[in-house]
Amino acid sequence: MSNDVYKAIADPTRRRILELLREGELTAGELASHFDVSKPALSRQFAILQNADLIYSHKKGNQVIYGLNASVLQEVLLSFVGFFNKGDKQ
């Protein structure tokens, strides 16, 4: 698992973005409406999540639409479960 993934999920704002995207794709504006930060600051959060491959984006007209890369997120969760279950094996 890449350090980028752990860095990405360490931040509460980025975890909230992932939470919002669980329901489906959202535009940058729709995501921004949930936060009290500047658009450039939120764009940096999106970039960190994209670098970790946790989210993807595509353009539709003049809007950027973001979605959750569920397979990567599942891999992260499985690695955490594996980490905590290592002590359970006998």
Side-chain angles (χ1 to χ4, degrees):
M1 191 68 38
S2 158
N3 282 338
D4 290 341
V5 171
Y6 295 113
K7 176 184 172 187
I9 61 175
D11 181 81
T13 299
R14 293 190 289 269
R15 287 194 307 269
R16 178 70 177 133
I17 292 168
L18 295 173
E19 224 177 275
L20 292 166
L21 291 174
R22 277 192 332 202
E23 301 300 317
E25 293 183 333
L26 294 169
T27 66
E30 290 169 329
L31 285 164
S33 71
H34 293 271
F35 299 94
D36 189 27
V37 296
S38 69
K39 288 186 182 185
L42 204 52
S43 290
R44 284 190 293 277
Q45 303 293 3
F46 296 150
I48 291 168
L49 289 167
Q50 283 184 294
N51 286 341
D53 204 27
L54 292 170
I55 66 171
Y56 62 86
S57 68
H58 61 90
K59 288 195 85 145
K60 185 175 183 182
N62 63 350
Q63 293 185 320
V64 179
I65 299 172
Y66 291 94
L68 185 64
N69 189 347
S71 62
V72 173
L73 197 53
Q74 287 173 339
E75 186 180 325
V76 170
L77 293 175
L78 288 174
S79 78
F80 278 128
V81 169
F83 174 78
F84 289 110
N85 286 336
K86 283 183 181 179
D88 294 343
K89 294 184 180 183
Q90 298 182 2

